[in-house]
């Protein structure tokens, strides 16, 4: 090949940065305002046979320029990957939605099937999300595997639009027998807060295919964290979970620790700067010690963890042969605590895997502020509960805490005794948690559940009844008392639709299919035993008995593990039906 030809080829490759099927203008800093400014780019797109990826990062694209590029993409049916981060620098926010709409419309017209959509570092806000809303709902995104929207300023509104779009995409793609199977989701620095995180959590739970979740610096507190914890349990292939710089508190830490028990494929956990506190750290340590066989990195830095909790975390990684790094920097260990953790890691021949402790905050001097914060959090959660009764419960808890000081309980931070945690029970039910709610458990639960929502009421009923124990009178009575209080309140509400509740119950039990692809629960005998009690109560409408009886009379694999309970419920229903 002639020298000039080699030089020309090298220049061409350097300009485009081409991999197979890829055309790249990455980092060229071009100011592309109108059609004339993109003539060369348009021609190269048009001439590129089998174009699969277009990189426009690091340029600034105006509306007219985007429309010209879009026109060139209209016949690129092989197109798969959009690397369009940081391409609106210096543009008015109002310019971005029409530019995105043009590009999205072109891809839909081409019949493209995207696998990667990267729009990170474009400060487009909620309006920018609207600019890709139609694209995300379309068949072009049924094959999407990576969605990267880091540092876009979406806010709560944008997060909700995004969640609704992903949910609709999953619904549409499922109808075509090719459900959306998103693997990578990146949305750090977006001010999603609790409402945005909760909306996205619902979409994550629906998809169940995620392998990486990156949502650092979003102002998410424990309600949002708890929602995400519920969602990740339904994504068993999750490998990376990065929620750095959000605010878990102990409640969020405990909820996430429980969720991690379902994630045997997790490799990287980044909860740095998340304020998990000692109780959250201890809960996470228990989960790590019991499972997570291929864990590579655990980051609990800057989380207000004390020496005792840090040592439990260190001991938890003892047999983690795949571990590459444990980060406990910036916590409250003190000089002696840092040495104790370092010694513990050295004794396990894992000293090299412990990150620096140079930014340790020292031993905590005063817990008063933390106690006040915890009490404020609890007041928000239990705002309908009488304040005097809360104070009495806190005094009782103080006595218990002093007796158990040497070995703090995983569900209560040693620095701040709290009222019973209803959200913890409803998120991860257990007989012990239900009993610990005390005599006021029924009231606390009915106040927490939105009984105007039939599906939420059915979910709560199944969570409570899942801990039913026929051979334990105390637990059995607590379950029945709680479901009675919940359903009495529900059926006495004018807006509550009883038939919708029964339908939701049948969907969750896996006895009928849902158009919204709701995942059924694993049916346990307690569900049917508690239901057998409920149908005999005065508050339960007799017209719903026949519906339940019809479904209980059918053979259904969902009830195979509960045959005796099913037979008893069926018999009771038949008896009630004959009486009416």
């Amino acid at each position: 090949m002639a020298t000039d030809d080699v030089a020309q080829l090298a220049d061409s490759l350097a300009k485009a940065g081409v991999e197979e099927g890829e055309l790249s203008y990455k980092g060229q800093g071009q100011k592309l305002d109108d059609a004339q400014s993109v003539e060369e780019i348009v021609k190269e797109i048009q001439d590129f046979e089998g174009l699969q990826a277009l990189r426009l990062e690091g340029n600034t694209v105006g509306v007219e320029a985007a429309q010209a590029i879009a026109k060139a993409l209209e016949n690129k049916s092989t197109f798969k990957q959009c690397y369009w981060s940081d391409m609106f620098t210096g543009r008015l926010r109002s310019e971005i939605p029409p530019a995105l709409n043009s590009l999205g419309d072109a891809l839909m017209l081409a019949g493209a099937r995207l696998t990667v959509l990267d729009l990170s570092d474009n400060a487009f806000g909620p309006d920018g999300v609207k600019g890709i809303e139609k694209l995300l709902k379309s068949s072009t995104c049924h094959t999407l595997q990576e969605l990267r929207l880091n540092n876009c300023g979406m806010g709560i509104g944008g997060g909700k639009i995004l969640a609704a779009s992903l949910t609709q995409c999953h619904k549409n793609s499922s109808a075509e027998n090719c459900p959306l199977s998103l693997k990578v989701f990146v949305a750090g620095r977006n001010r999603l807060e609790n409402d945005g995180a909760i909306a996205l959590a619902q979409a994550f739970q629906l998809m169940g295919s995620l392998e990486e979740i990156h949502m650092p610096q979003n102002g998410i507190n424990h309600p949002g964290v708890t929602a995400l914890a519920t969602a990740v349990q339904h994504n068993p292939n999750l490998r990376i979970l990065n929620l750095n710089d959000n605010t878990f508190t102990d409640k969020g830490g405990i909820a996430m620790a429980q969720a991690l028990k379902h994630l045997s494929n997790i490799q990287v956990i980044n909860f740095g700067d998340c304020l998990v506190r000692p109780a959250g750290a201890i809960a996470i340590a228990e989960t790590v010690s019991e499972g997570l066989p291929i864990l590579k990195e655990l980051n609990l830095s800057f989380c207000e963890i004390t020496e005792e909790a840090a040592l439990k975390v260190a001991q938890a990684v003892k047999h983690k042969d795949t571990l590459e790094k444990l980060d406990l920097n910036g916590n409250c260990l003190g000089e002696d605590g840092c040495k104790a953790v370092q010694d513990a890691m050295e004794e396990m021949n894992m000293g090299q895997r412990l990150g620096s402790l140079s930014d340790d905050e020292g031993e905590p001097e005063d817990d008063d502020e933390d106690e006040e914060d915890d009490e404020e959090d609890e007041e928000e959660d239990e705002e309908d509960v009488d304040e005097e009764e809360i104070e009495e419960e806190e005094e009782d808890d103080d006595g218990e805490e002093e007796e158990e000081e040497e070995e703090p309980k995983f569900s209560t931070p040693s620095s701040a005794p709290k009222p019973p945690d209803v959200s913890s029970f409803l998120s991860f039910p257990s007989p012990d948690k239900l009993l610990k709610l005390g005599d006021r458990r029924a009231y606390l639960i009915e106040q927490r559940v939105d009984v105007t929502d039939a599906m939420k009421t059915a979910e709560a009923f199944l969570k409570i009844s899942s801990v039913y124990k026929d051979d334990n009178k105390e637990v059995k009575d607590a379950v029945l008392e709680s479901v009675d209080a919940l359903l009495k309140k529900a059926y006495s509400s004018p807006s509550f639709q009883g038939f919708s509740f029964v339908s939701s119950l049948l969907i969750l039990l896996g006895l009928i299919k849902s158009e919204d692809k709701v995942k059924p629960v694993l049916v346990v005998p307690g569900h049917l035993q508690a239901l057998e009690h409920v149908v005999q109560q005065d508050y339960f409408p007799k017209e719903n008995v026949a519906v339940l009886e019809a479904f209980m009379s059918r053979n259904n694999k969902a009830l195979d593990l509960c045959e005796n309970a099913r037979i008893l419920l069926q018999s009771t229903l038949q008896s009630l039906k004959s009486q009416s």
Side-chain angles (χ1 to χ4, degrees):
M1 185 180 287
T3 303
D4 288 346
D5 292 337
V6 173
Q8 186 177 358
L9 177 61
D11 181 65
S12 178
L13 289 174
K15 179 181 179 182
V18 178
E19 293 186 11
E20 185 177 358
E22 177 183 292
L23 189 57
S24 176
Y25 303 91
K26 180 179 180 180
Q28 294 184 11
Q30 295 190 57
K31 192 170 188 293
L32 308 171
D33 294 326
D34 50 31
Q36 185 178 355
S37 66
V38 293
E39 282 181 350
E40 187 177 347
I41 293 175
V42 167
K43 186 176 187 307
E44 290 181 343
I45 292 173
Q46 290 172 337
D47 293 344
F48 199 123
E49 294 293 332
L51 180 64
Q52 295 183 28
L54 178 62
R55 307 195 78 111
L56 294 172
E57 310 104 306
N59 299 286
T60 176
V61 183
V63 176
E64 289 185 25
Q67 290 170 343
I69 292 171
K71 188 68 177 175
L73 290 170
E74 286 181 356
N75 64 350
K76 299 299 178 181
S77 61
T78 59
F79 195 78
K80 295 180 180 179
Q81 300 169 344
C82 306
Y83 295 103
W84 296 345
S85 64
D86 189 22
M87 71 172 198
F88 295 115
T89 301
R91 300 291 170 183
L92 296 174
R93 183 171 287 189
S94 60
E95 293 182 78
I96 301 176
L100 291 174
N101 271 317
S102 297
L103 292 164
D105 287 347
L107 297 178
M108 289 186 282
L109 183 61
R113 291 292 182 266
L114 293 185
T115 58
V116 177
L117 179 58
D118 185 355
L119 288 167
S120 297
D121 300 314
N122 290 308
F124 50 48
D127 289 342
V129 185
K130 292 179 182 177
I132 58 171
E133 183 178 8
K134 185 164 60 170
L135 173 64
L136 287 173
K137 292 179 178 179
S138 74
S139 59
T140 295
C141 285
H142 287 183
T143 50
L144 195 63
Q145 295 183 12
E146 297 184 20
L147 179 58
R148 300 178 182 272
L149 297 169
N150 201 59
N151 191 31
C152 289
M154 289 189 289
I156 294 172
K160 288 183 174 180
I161 295 169
L162 178 60
S165 300
L166 291 173
T167 299
Q168 188 63 48
C169 183
H170 186 273
K171 181 178 180 179
N172 295 345
S173 57
S174 296
E176 297 180 8
N177 296 318
C178 57
L180 172 66
S181 298
L182 193 68
K183 293 181 179 179
V184 178
F185 180 84
V186 181
R189 300 183 65 186
N190 270 293
R191 305 193 311 276
L192 295 170
E193 301 182 17
N194 288 331
D195 288 348
I198 290 169
L200 285 166
Q202 293 170 347
F204 295 167
Q205 183 168 333
L206 184 65
M207 291 185 290
S209 56
L210 287 165
E211 296 180 7
E212 297 184 24
I213 297 175
H214 303 263
M215 296 175 67
Q217 291 184 306
N218 269 298
I220 306 170
N221 299 324
H222 72 83
V225 172
T226 300
L228 289 170
T230 300
V232 299
Q233 294 180 65
H234 297 272
N235 289 265
N237 294 321
L238 195 66
R239 295 182 294 105
I240 299 174
L241 181 57
N242 176 8
L243 297 175
N244 189 283
D245 199 8
N246 290 291
T247 307
F248 284 33
T249 69
D250 54 288
K251 287 179 284 189
I254 291 168
M256 197 58 75
Q258 294 293 325
L260 289 170
K261 293 181 178 181
H262 300 265
L263 304 177
S264 59
N265 291 307
I266 199 78
Q267 297 179 25
V268 177
I269 300 170
N270 186 347
F271 296 160
D273 205 10
C274 282
L275 203 68
V276 302
R277 295 182 176 163
I282 291 170
I284 291 169
E286 289 187 13
T287 296
V288 171
S289 65
E290 294 169 1
L292 314 191
I294 57 175
L295 185 65
K296 290 183 178 180
E297 182 177 332
L298 176 59
N299 184 347
L300 293 175
S301 60
F302 298 93
C303 281
E304 292 192 1
I305 299 171
T306 55
E307 176 184 348
E308 180 183 5
L311 282 171
K312 287 186 180 293
V313 173
Q315 292 157 1
V317 302
K318 182 175 183 179
H319 298 295
K320 304 300 173 188
D321 296 335
T322 58
L323 189 75
E324 297 173 2
K325 184 177 181 181
L326 172 62
D327 193 345
L328 292 170
N329 199 17
N331 283 299
C332 305
L333 310 185
E335 186 176 344
D336 291 342
C338 288
K339 187 176 186 307
V341 170
Q342 289 166 336
D343 289 346
M345 293 295 285
E346 289 290 349
E347 287 175 10
M348 297 184 293
N349 296 317
M350 301 179 77
Q352 296 298 316
R353 304 179 198 182
L354 178 66
S356 169
L357 298 176
S358 59
D359 293 322
D360 187 73
E361 297 286 342
E363 295 182 45
E365 295 179 1
D366 189 352
D367 290 333
D368 288 346
E369 186 176 336
D370 287 345
E371 289 180 10
E372 290 174 6
D373 289 345
D374 283 343
E375 287 169 3
E376 287 174 6
D377 287 344
E378 289 304 321
E379 286 172 8
E380 290 176 6
D381 288 343
E382 308 293 350
E383 60 185 356
D384 294 318
V385 181
D386 186 78
E387 291 180 3
E388 292 181 4
E389 292 178 344
I390 288 181
E391 290 172 0
E392 291 172 5
E393 289 169 3
E394 287 180 333
E395 289 173 5
D396 292 339
D397 286 345
D398 282 339
E400 293 175 7
E401 192 69 9
E402 291 173 3
E403 293 174 6
E404 299 174 359
E405 195 170 279
E406 294 183 3
E407 190 172 347
K409 292 295 181 183
F410 155 127
S411 58
T412 307
S414 58
S415 59
K418 307 181 307 178
D421 192 346
V422 183
S423 62
S424 176
F425 168 72
L426 289 175
S427 297
F428 307 101
S430 72
D432 185 55
K433 286 182 182 178
L434 181 62
L435 295 178
K436 283 185 176 179
L437 291 175
D439 293 339
R440 299 175 60 255
R441 66 179 70 85
Y443 176 77
L444 294 174
I445 291 171
E446 72 170 65
Q447 290 298 316
R448 176 57 57 90
V449 179
D450 179 7
V451 295
T452 63
D453 187 315
M455 180 59 78
K456 289 180 180 178
T457 305
E459 288 173 345
F461 167 77
L462 292 176
K463 286 177 179 179
I464 299 166
S465 59
S466 68
V467 304
Y468 182 101
K469 288 185 177 294
D470 202 31
D471 57 353
N472 186 319
K473 187 177 186 304
E474 185 180 14
V475 173
K476 176 181 175 180
D477 290 347
V479 168
L480 298 182
E481 174 194 11
S482 299
V483 297
D484 280 343
L486 175 70
L487 296 181
K488 278 180 184 177
K489 182 177 180 182
Y491 279 108
S492 64
S493 171
S495 59
F496 185 72
Q497 297 181 346
F499 185 74
S500 294
F501 167 74
V502 173
S503 298
S504 299
L505 202 57
L506 293 171
I507 288 169
L508 291 168
L509 291 172
L511 301 180
I512 58 176
K513 292 183 179 180
S514 165
E515 293 181 0
D516 297 326
K517 302 296 181 183
V518 175
K519 290 187 177 180
V521 301
L522 175 64
V523 184
V524 296
H527 291 143
L528 305 187
Q529 290 167 320
L531 188 56
E532 194 262 343
H533 162 83
V534 165
V535 298
Q536 299 178 71
Q537 306 309 305
D538 291 338
Y539 59 75
F540 189 80
K542 300 311 175 189
E543 60 265 26
N544 290 335
V545 168
V547 177
L548 285 175
E549 192 273 332
F551 281 94
M552 289 301 151
S553 300
R554 300 175 184 176
N555 291 325
N556 193 300
K557 290 183 178 180
L559 306 180
D560 282 354
L561 298 177
C562 316
E563 185 61 17
N564 290 337
R566 184 192 69 81
I567 292 172
L568 177 60
L569 174 57
Q570 182 185 358
S571 175
T572 300
L573 289 167
Q574 289 174 342
S575 177
L576 291 170
K577 184 180 175 182
S578 65
Q579 295 171 16
S580 59

